[in-house]
């Protein structure tokens, strides 16, 4: 079984419009060329396993919440099912698209490109061969169209343009609606909104001006066009189409300045008010806006990171707040009007704000620059990442959210690692410090430094978590510290080049160090840090990694070769020539071919799988290679990205982009002022940022296998990608014969032959059947069944239990199974502990997660029960007091009666 893409962490928003789902509880965010769904109620994030060719610039959701249209930078569109999470149809609009919007009834959708608006029949309502059928083309604006809004009954829609005008078009032909331009602005139209159940309109321009337009006609007052006129126009349109290669649909043209005769007895708009946001003069360009029709709430975002909340039509200011110092690129309001989502593309920031309580529902941000390193916690629940922005972030693998960010480093983080107990994260940085962070109190409790300032390029911690080592780029030394005291224990010198990688043997106190001086040195911690062995290679050594059982050492060198060593005897036991597998792409500005450029490239990161049988390797390429160590052959190449918005993705340059003077990418196109783009100085790694447009280069900076053995992660230009075995439905039978069928398994369960039924279910290897067989066993008979299970199936049952724990509600029943299996077969399992370690860690991760959830719930319930008891006792005392006084009164009255 090979892992499949299962999630993207570390990037929460890139560019494009944010959209809330129909129920208002989830948010869809474009992340590069993929989309992520943030479930705000259940605190989970999921990235869909589909991708466009370039970065997504606009997303349109259907009103029923089942379909989405994703459109990339060049106008290529994907029709996506949000229920099945798959691509239904592909379409190409031939030009960049600015916005897309479905009609509220779900029958049509409109896209804006160039100076036109195109209306298509929405897919899914009728059975059609082509999902995107063009209905009408609307002409009118002179410049590019920017935004769309529909009336509530889907009769009309408004389109804003860069020519500072807004146009109201009819989805059907209306006799009393003529199409003309609404002016009144001095800058680009950013957004236009209809009032609820009305043709009244609000238009907002980039210079922070709001115009209020009143219509003299209600929506019910629109008159359908007589059929004769409509038929004449249709036949004229068909005659025009006979001479065209493809149907353009019906063409409708508006007039900028219609005559008085044409406007008589027609729908008329008049401007009743004009408001300005920047009266104080301290706000700059207005960049985005959203309007909630039911609550009349207008939210506007500015390039300075400030946003306003206004109540319309009176333009009353509710809030004016700043969320960051970066441009707010997108705003969205959910259906109830309680939550407002903001996206800042400069920082990759995503915020969901509840405006009434003034609190954050979601606040997530990726690394500002690219991620450089990652580390899994020992139980596989958390991933720590370090970036060039100097931040260390910790992500939860089950929810995909970042729950803590450490910002103490003042320069780029080069390496991160967890200690063996999983509660301490260590990070090395170019600022000359190694810092230890506590995951209980979320603080930096140790800072390790060298006598002379050094830039640390790599980091390693021993299996006990007591010894911390870091390698220097500039002094060619390795520094050793004590975790307990924070003191510098030793400085290991001997290398004649920068230290590129460090790795501790998991089973022994031996440190391996790799350097650009073409050697790997092994240092014995128990023997006063003396050099135990020096392994000499043919090229500069870039990375070194021990196998999980500590018996083998893998080394990647600058010549593209991975070598395997028996480090005890200093003997090379194998090698893989991986340069051809790396398969470099050609950058746009490269003067040589990808084949020539690949000769100088090599693997820069290595990682063994949890069982030690395979090795992952990656470098400055879009491919990650997984090799079988024993056979020394390539098992699979994972293509981590198909996003052509990144550089070095194509092996050959596109001939259409070549001119007689060279590649068109060499031309520095002007503009750039439109988005308020600051142009910093050149000299950065991610392309020449002095250019208006630059492409980040695709690269894999770090690879790590999960200790559970079920997944692996890679830090790339796109973010933190996770590939998992648990993401697909795969039929994978084991030792199958003709008598093993679901009916026979159920017969055995009916006859109460539970052990036979469980073995048969595992042979068929269908998860639901295995669950049915195991849950049919009475809890009193679990120990009998466990004792009669063959050794081969004990391992399989443990693996099933670990995966079932993540979804089951029968906690106690499955815990009984796990306990009985481990007690009865513990000694036999111990002999195969190295092989079984991933399964046991997977089981531990699942149980630990439930333990944390249940313990929190129990603590909360204990407080509630104590409070309820205290209240009931107080009330009981009062009742007793009231009761006794009442009884005494009754007795007195009785005695009076008797007398």
């Amino acid at each position: 079984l090979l892992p499949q893409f299962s999630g993207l962490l570390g990037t929460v928003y890139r560019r494009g419009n944010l959209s809330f789902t129909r129920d208002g509880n989830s948010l869809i965010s474009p992340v590069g060329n993929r989309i992520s769904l943030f479930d705000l109620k259940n605190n989970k994030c999921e990235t869909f396993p589909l991708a466009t060719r370039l970065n997504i610039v606009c997303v349109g959701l259907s009103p029923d919440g089942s379909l989405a249209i994703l459109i990339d930078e060049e106008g290529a569109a994907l029709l996506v099912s949000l229920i099945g999470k798959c691509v239904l149809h592909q379409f190409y609009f031939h030009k960049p698209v600015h916005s897309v919007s479905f009609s509220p009834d779900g029958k049509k959708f409109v896209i804006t490109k160039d100076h036109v608006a195109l209306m298509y029949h929405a897919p899914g309502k009728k059975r059609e061969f082509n999902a995107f059928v063009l209905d009408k083309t609307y002409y009118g604006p002179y410049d590019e169209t920017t935004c769309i809004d529909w009336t509530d009954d889907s009769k009309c829609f408004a389109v804003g343009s860069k020519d500072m005008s807004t146009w109201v078009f009819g989805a059907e032909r209306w006799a009393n609606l003529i199409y003309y331009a609404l002016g009144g602005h001095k800058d680009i139209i950013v957004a236009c909104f209809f009032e609820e159940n009305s043709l009244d309109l609000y238009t907002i321009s980039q210079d922070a001006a709001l115009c209020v337009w009143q219509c003299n006609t209600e929506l019910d007052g629109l008159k359908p066009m007589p059929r004769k006129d409509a038929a004449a126009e249709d036949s004229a349109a068909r005659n025009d189409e006979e001479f065209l290669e493809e149907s353009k649909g019906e063409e409708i043209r508006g007039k900028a300045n219609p005559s008085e005769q044409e406007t008589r007895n027609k729908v008329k708009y008049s401007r009743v008010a004009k408001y300005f946001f920047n009266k104080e003069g301290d706000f700059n360009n207005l960049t985005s806006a959203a309007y909630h029709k039911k609550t009349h709430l207008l939210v506007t975002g500015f390039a300075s990171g400030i946003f306003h909340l206004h109540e319309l039509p009176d333009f009353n200011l509710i809030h004016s707040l700043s969320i960051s110092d970066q441009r707010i690129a997108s705003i969205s309001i959910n259906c109830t009007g309680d939550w407002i989502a903001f996206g800042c593309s400069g920082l990759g920031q995503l915020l969901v704000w509840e405006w009434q309580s003034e609190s954050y529902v979601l606040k997530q941000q990726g690394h500002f620059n690219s991620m450089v390193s990652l580390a899994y916690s020992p139980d596989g629940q958390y991933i720590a990442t370090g970036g060039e922005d100097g931040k260390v972030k910790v992500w939860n693998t089950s929810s995909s959210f970042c729950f803590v960010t450490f910002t103490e480093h003042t320069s780029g983080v080069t390496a991160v690692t967890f200690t063996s107990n999983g509660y301490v994260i260590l990070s090395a940085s170019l600022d000359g410090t190694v810092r230890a962070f506590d995951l209980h109190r979320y603080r930096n409790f140790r800072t390790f430094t060298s006598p002379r300032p050094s830039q640390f390029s790599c980091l390693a911690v021993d299996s006990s978590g007591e010894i911390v080592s870091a390698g220097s780029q500039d002094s060619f030394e390795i520094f050793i510290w004590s975790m307990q005291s924070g003191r510098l224990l030793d400085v290991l010198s001997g290398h004649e080049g920068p230290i590129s990688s460090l790795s501790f043997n998991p089973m022994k106190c031996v440190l391996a160090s790799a350097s650009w001086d073409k050697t790997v040195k092994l240092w014995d911690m128990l023997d006063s840090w003396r050099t135990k062995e020096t392994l000499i290679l043919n090229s500069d050594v870039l990375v070194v990694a021990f196998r999980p059982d500590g018996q083998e050492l893998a080394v990647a060198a600058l010549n593209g070769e991975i070598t395997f060593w028996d480090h005890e005897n200093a003997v090379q036991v194998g090698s893989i020539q991986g340069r051809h597998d790396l398969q470099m792409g050609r950058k746009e500005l490269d003067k040589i071919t990808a084949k020539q450029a690949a000769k100088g490239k090599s693997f820069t990161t290595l990682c063994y799988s949890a069982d030690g049988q395979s090795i992952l390797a990656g470098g400055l390429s879009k491919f990650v290679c997984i090799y079988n160590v024993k056979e020394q052959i390539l098992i699979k190449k994972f293509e981590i990205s198909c996003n052509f918005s990144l550089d070095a993705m194509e092996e050959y340059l596109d001939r259409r982009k070549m001119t007689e003077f060279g590649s068109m990418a060499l031309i520095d196109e002007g503009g750039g002022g439109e988005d308020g783009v600051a142009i910093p100085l050149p000299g950065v790694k991610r392309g020449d940022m002095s250019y208006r447009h630059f492409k980040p280069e695709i690269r894999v900076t770090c690879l790590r296998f999960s200790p559970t053995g079920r997944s692996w992660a890679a830090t790339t230009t796109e973010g933190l990608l996770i590939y998992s075995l648990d993401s697909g439905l795969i039929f994978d039978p084991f030792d199958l014969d003709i008598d093993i069928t679901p009916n026979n398994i159920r017969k055995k369960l009916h006859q109460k032959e539970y052990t036979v039924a469980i073995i048969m279910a595992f042979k068929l290897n269908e998860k639901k059947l295995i669950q049915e067989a195991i849950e049919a066993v009475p809890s009193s008979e679990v120990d009998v069944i466990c004792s009669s299970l063959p050794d081969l199936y004990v391992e399989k049952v443990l693996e099933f239990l670990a995966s079932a724990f993540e979804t089951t509600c029968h906690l106690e029943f499955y815990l009984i199974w796990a306990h009985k299996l481990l007690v009865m077969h513990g000694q036999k399992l111990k002999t195969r502990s190295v092989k079984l370690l991933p399964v046991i860690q997977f089981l531990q991760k699942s149980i630990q997660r439930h333990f944390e959830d249940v313990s929190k719930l129990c603590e909360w319930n204990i407080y509630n029960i104590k409070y309820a008891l205290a209240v009931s006792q107080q009330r009981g005392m009062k009742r007793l007091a009231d009761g006794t006084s009442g009884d005494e009164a009754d007795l007195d009255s009785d005695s009076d009666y008797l007398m």
Side-chain angles (χ1 to χ4, degrees):
L1 290 179
L2 287 166
Q4 305 289 320
F5 173 79
S6 71
L8 172 65
L9 283 71
T11 312
V12 289
Y13 175 74
R14 279 275 167 82
R15 61 177 293 194
N17 60 305
L18 300 168
S19 310
F20 275 100
T21 52
R22 188 186 177 193
D23 59 3
N25 295 333
S26 299
L27 179 70
I28 289 176
S29 169
V31 185
N33 66 334
R34 301 177 187 272
I35 54 166
S36 290
L37 180 76
F38 292 89
D39 186 343
L40 303 171
K41 285 279 186 191
N42 300 316
N43 198 37
K44 279 195 171 179
C45 168
E46 180 187 10
T47 305
F48 286 21
L50 47 93
T52 55
R53 193 171 172 273
L54 296 160
N55 285 334
I56 295 168
V57 291
C58 48
V59 178
L61 291 190
S62 64
D64 61 359
S66 61
L67 298 174
I69 296 172
L70 316 178
I71 305 175
D72 70 17
E73 291 167 341
E74 284 186 356
L78 293 183
L79 176 66
V80 171
S81 164
L82 296 177
I83 299 161
K85 292 163 193 164
C86 58
V87 176
L88 303 177
H89 184 68
Q90 296 181 352
F91 191 79
Y92 189 40
F93 288 113
H94 299 288
K95 292 278 180 73
V97 173
H98 295 104
S99 56
V100 57
S101 179
F102 275 88
S103 62
D105 62 6
K107 291 179 180 176
K108 304 280 174 70
F109 72 88
V110 173
I111 64 118
T112 57
K113 68 169 190 178
D114 276 353
H115 60 285
V116 297
L118 303 173
M119 186 164 73
Y120 287 82
H121 292 287
K125 297 293 176 190
K126 289 187 282 185
R127 284 193 174 188
E128 287 170 332
F129 176 70
N130 184 4
F132 288 9
V133 178
L134 183 61
D135 182 21
K136 295 181 179 74
T137 304
Y138 295 87
Y139 293 91
Y142 295 113
D143 205 342
E144 290 180 9
T145 44
T146 55
C147 54
I148 311 160
D149 191 54
W150 285 85
T151 54
D152 288 343
D153 60 359
S154 306
K155 286 182 178 177
C156 300
F157 63 93
V159 173
S161 168
K162 286 186 180 178
D163 68 0
M164 303 176 282
S165 66
T166 309
W167 296 71
V168 178
F169 293 114
E172 302 295 329
R173 293 186 201 156
W174 307 109
N176 58 338
L177 178 67
I178 61 161
Y179 307 139
Y180 62 92
L182 302 176
H185 285 285
K186 296 178 181 177
D187 210 336
I188 295 166
I189 306 295
V190 172
C192 52
F193 305 108
F194 280 106
E195 189 54 90
E196 187 181 17
N197 297 319
S198 169
L199 280 169
D200 294 351
L201 189 67
Y202 302 108
T203 58
I204 300 163
S205 61
Q206 192 172 284
D207 61 353
L210 166 73
C211 286
V212 182
W213 301 89
Q214 195 173 39
C215 185
N216 66 347
T217 311
E218 292 298 316
L219 279 170
D220 300 337
L222 291 172
K223 298 170 188 171
M225 188 174 274
R227 289 197 173 183
K228 288 179 184 176
D229 299 351
E233 283 191 27
D234 277 345
S235 62
R238 278 195 208 99
N239 292 337
D240 289 346
E241 280 170 17
E242 284 174 12
F243 301 102
L244 296 169
E245 290 181 12
E246 58 174 332
S247 170
K248 276 192 174 183
E250 186 185 343
E251 289 192 11
I252 295 168
R253 297 179 185 274
K255 287 186 180 179
N257 297 305
S259 63
E260 276 187 38
Q261 193 176 351
E262 287 174 312
T263 56
R264 197 175 295 150
N265 301 323
K266 306 287 186 192
V267 173
K268 277 187 182 177
Y269 274 96
S270 54
R271 194 178 79 191
V272 291
K274 187 172 183 179
Y275 301 107
F276 296 93
F277 292 88
N278 54 349
K279 284 179 183 174
E280 294 83 10
D282 56 350
F283 305 122
N284 47 8
N285 288 354
L286 188 147
T287 53
S288 53
Y291 180 61
H292 191 258
K293 295 181 182 180
K294 285 178 183 166
T295 56
H296 306 286
L297 182 74
L298 175 71
V299 187
T300 48
F302 293 82
S304 59
I306 292 168
F307 72 92
H308 293 306
L309 267 68
H310 282 91
E311 189 183 12
L312 294 182
D314 300 327
F315 200 66
N316 298 326
L317 182 67
I318 301 168
H319 282 305
S320 175
L321 293 165
S322 174
I323 49 170
S324 73
D325 56 355
Q326 295 286 323
R327 172 179 180 269
I328 298 172
S330 178
I331 300 176
S332 180
I333 309 175
N334 77 340
C335 56
T336 59
D338 296 329
W339 293 348
I340 305 167
F342 300 96
C344 299
S345 52
L347 289 172
Q349 211 174 25
L350 182 64
L351 305 160
V352 179
W353 197 63
E354 190 170 29
W355 66 275
Q356 285 164 326
S357 65
E358 297 189 27
S359 59
Y360 286 112
V361 178
L362 174 78
K363 190 178 184 184
Q364 291 283 300
Q365 183 181 335
H367 286 279
F368 178 60
N369 284 333
S370 61
M371 295 183 192
V372 175
S373 58
L374 83 123
Y376 267 100
S377 63
D379 60 1
Q381 278 201 71
Y382 307 123
I383 295 176
T385 57
E388 289 183 349
D389 56 359
K391 290 177 183 173
V392 175
K393 288 179 174 281
V394 190
W395 307 82
N396 188 318
T397 53
S398 54
S399 71
S400 299
F401 282 133
C402 170
F403 62 91
V404 62
T405 303
F406 299 109
T407 57
E408 280 78 3
H409 283 296
T410 55
S411 188
V413 176
T414 52
V416 289
T417 185
F418 276 88
T419 56
S420 53
N421 65 7
Y423 295 116
V424 175
I425 296 171
L426 287 150
S427 62
S429 169
L430 296 174
D431 64 5
T433 62
V434 172
R435 294 178 185 268
F437 302 100
D438 178 10
L439 280 186
H440 282 308
R441 295 183 182 85
Y442 302 131
R443 64 193 178 99
N444 174 205
F445 70 94
R446 283 272 185 282
T447 302
F448 308 102
T449 55
S450 54
R452 288 194 310 278
S454 294
Q455 291 191 317
F456 297 123
S457 57
C458 49
L459 176 71
V461 63
D462 76 328
S463 53
S464 67
E466 291 301 315
I467 304 295
V468 180
S469 64
S472 169
Q473 272 187 352
D474 38 16
S475 64
F476 313 156
E477 292 168 330
I478 300 161
F479 298 90
I480 310 290
W481 296 276
S482 163
M483 176 69 87
Q484 286 287 334
S485 63
R487 286 175 52 217
L488 182 67
L489 298 178
D490 210 339
V491 179
L492 311 181
S493 52
H495 281 295
E496 296 169 7
I499 314 297
S500 54
S501 179
L502 294 174
S503 180
F504 265 104
N505 189 324
M507 301 299 169
K508 291 179 182 175
C509 301
V510 173
L511 174 70
S513 63
S515 170
W516 293 5
D517 63 4
K518 303 182 184 178
T519 63
V520 173
K521 288 184 186 289
L522 298 165
W523 312 82
D524 194 344
M525 191 170 73
L526 299 178
D527 192 12
S528 306
W529 293 107
R530 245 181 252 166
T531 311
K532 195 176 171 191
E533 290 290 351
T534 300
L535 312 177
I536 298 167
L537 287 99
N538 300 328
S539 186
D540 296 8
V541 186
L542 300 179
V543 62
V544 63
F546 274 103
R547 202 166 68 186
D549 62 359
Q551 299 298 312
E552 191 176 80
L553 186 70
V555 179
L558 194 61
N559 59 4
E561 193 176 11
I562 303 170
T563 51
F564 301 97
W565 296 78
D566 174 5
H567 59 89
E568 290 290 331
N569 304 313
V571 176
Q572 185 178 329
V573 292
S575 70
I576 296 169
Q577 268 293 348
R579 176 164 287 162
H580 299 296
D581 301 326
L582 197 58
Q583 203 171 331
M584 286 289 300
R586 183 172 177 178
K587 285 191 256 178
E588 283 187 340
L589 304 177
D590 276 356
K591 304 292 190 294
I592 55 171
T593 62
K595 198 172 180 182
Q596 287 293 326
K599 290 179 181 176
K601 299 295 185 256
S602 54
F603 293 116
T604 56
T605 177
L606 286 180
C607 177
Y608 274 99
S609 61
D611 57 7
Q613 292 178 8
S614 311
I615 194 164
L616 277 170
L620 303 181
S621 160
K622 64 177 176 176
F623 291 105
V624 169
C625 304
I626 185 163
Y627 294 97
N628 184 301
V629 176
K630 193 178 177 184
E631 303 293 336
Q632 294 168 19
I633 56 167
L634 180 70
I635 300 172
K636 182 173 169 66
K637 277 163 76 170
F638 293 94
E639 188 177 2
I640 56 155
S641 177
C642 58
N643 187 357
F644 284 86
S645 294
L646 302 172
D647 209 355
M649 286 293 292
E650 295 178 274
E651 197 172 346
Y652 303 102
L653 286 183
D654 191 343
R655 283 185 180 176
R656 288 172 296 181
K657 292 179 182 174
M658 296 300 286
T659 65
E660 56 186 310
F661 306 107
S663 171
M664 286 175 75
L666 292 164
I667 302 164
D668 180 17
E669 291 182 11
E674 174 191 312
D675 294 339
V677 177
I679 306 168
L681 292 169
V684 285
K685 287 183 186 176
R686 301 287 163 269
D688 186 354
M689 291 180 87
S690 67
Y691 281 85
R692 308 294 201 277
H693 309 284
F694 74 96
K695 281 186 170 184
E697 185 186 342
I698 185 72
R699 59 174 68 203
V700 179
T701 49
C702 190
L703 293 165
R704 289 291 177 265
F705 239 99
S706 169
T708 61
R710 307 290 298 172
S711 60
W712 58 269
T715 51
T716 69
T717 313
E718 291 233 279
L720 174 60
L721 301 173
I722 295 180
Y723 286 78
S724 171
L725 284 174
D726 307 322
S727 61
L729 183 68
I730 300 160
F731 177 60
D732 182 33
F734 167 78
D735 201 13
L736 195 63
D737 63 51
I738 199 165
D739 297 324
I740 295 169
T741 62
N743 286 339
N744 286 351
I745 292 167
R746 291 188 178 104
K747 273 183 194 172
K748 293 290 180 188
L749 287 173
H750 190 67
Q751 293 163 9
K752 299 190 177 180
E753 294 182 31
Y754 299 117
T755 310
V756 179
I758 287 168
I759 291 169
M760 287 169 74
F762 272 103
K763 283 184 175 180
L764 198 59
N765 211 358
E766 188 106 10
K767 194 172 178 181
K768 284 192 176 176
L769 265 176
I770 296 168
Q771 187 176 344
E772 191 181 327
I774 283 180
E775 289 181 2
V777 178
S779 57
S780 56
E781 292 185 34
V782 169
D783 51 351
V784 180
I785 305 297
C786 287
S787 60
S788 60
L789 271 176
D791 292 347
L792 183 65
Y793 290 94
V794 171
E795 188 184 328
K796 290 189 171 295
V797 174
L798 279 173
E799 197 170 341
F800 169 76
L801 290 176
S803 62
F805 263 118
E806 296 193 329
T807 53
T808 187
C809 54
H810 308 299
L811 269 182
E812 187 185 2
F813 181 71
Y814 279 106
L815 281 169
I816 292 167
W817 266 98
H819 180 249
K820 298 291 181 191
L821 279 171
L822 292 170
V823 167
M824 289 177 178
H825 299 273
Q827 289 300 321
K828 290 176 186 173
L829 293 173
K830 207 170 183 180
T831 57
R832 304 201 307 280
S833 60
V834 175
K835 192 181 175 188
L836 283 172
L837 188 64
V839 174
I840 300 296
Q841 282 179 325
F842 188 28
L843 185 67
Q844 183 194 356
K845 173 192 171 182
S846 303
I847 293 171
Q848 180 70 25
R849 195 164 60 82
H850 279 296
F851 171 72
E852 286 171 5
D853 293 346
V854 172
S855 60
K856 278 179 191 171
L857 188 66
C858 289
E859 283 172 17
W860 180 246
N861 285 346
I862 286 166
Y863 289 127
N864 282 347
I865 291 163
K866 280 182 180 175
Y867 175 73
L869 278 170
V871 170
S872 63
Q873 280 174 355
Q874 278 183 347
R875 286 183 180 171
M877 295 289 282
K878 279 183 183 176
R879 278 178 191 160
L880 277 170
D882 295 345
T884 51
S885 59
D887 290 346
E888 283 170 10
D890 290 345
L891 282 167
D892 290 344
S893 62
D894 289 347
S895 60
D896 291 342
Y897 176 74
L898 286 166
M899 285 182 69

